[in-house]
Amino acid sequence: MGTTIKERTLEFIKYKGISVKEFEVRSNLSNGYVANMRKGYSAEKLKDVLSAYPELNRDWLLYNEGEMLKEQP
């Protein structure tokens, strides 16, 4: 069974060594957004997350494809 977007988000947060609250603040998400996430991010919220964390691989986050982090040139 694959992981959910919420589980991958929490994995990324753990990898960064930050709190969920810090992730939410940096990503312009409301307090408790990650804890209450059911299906995933709206398009606008996804844009905010990827702007705050440009190293995060969108395909991994959404579809569990590829690596967590984008390849560095």
Side-chain angles (χ1 to χ4, degrees):
M1 185 192 302
T3 58
T4 65
I5 293 173
K6 179 178 179 178
E7 290 169 332
R8 289 190 295 278
T9 298
L10 292 171
E11 184 179 338
F12 177 73
I13 290 168
K14 184 177 178 181
Y15 166 80
K16 292 293 284 183
I18 60 175
S19 67
V20 172
K21 180 177 173 82
E22 183 178 342
F23 177 84
E24 290 169 339
V25 168
R26 259 189 89 185
S27 301
N28 199 29
L29 302 173
S30 60
N31 186 32
Y33 187 93
V34 173
N36 295 314
M37 184 186 302
R38 290 205 165 87
K39 292 188 176 190
Y41 297 102
S42 68
E44 187 65 30
K45 297 297 184 188
L46 178 63
K47 186 180 97 165
D48 290 343
V49 168
L50 296 176
S51 291
Y53 298 96
E55 72 275 23
L56 181 57
N57 182 348
R58 180 186 69 89
D59 290 340
W60 175 81
L61 181 62
L62 296 179
Y63 312 114
N64 200 20
E65 294 176 356
E67 300 298 320
M68 179 192 308
L69 303 178
K70 290 180 182 176
E71 290 185 23
Q72 300 300 316

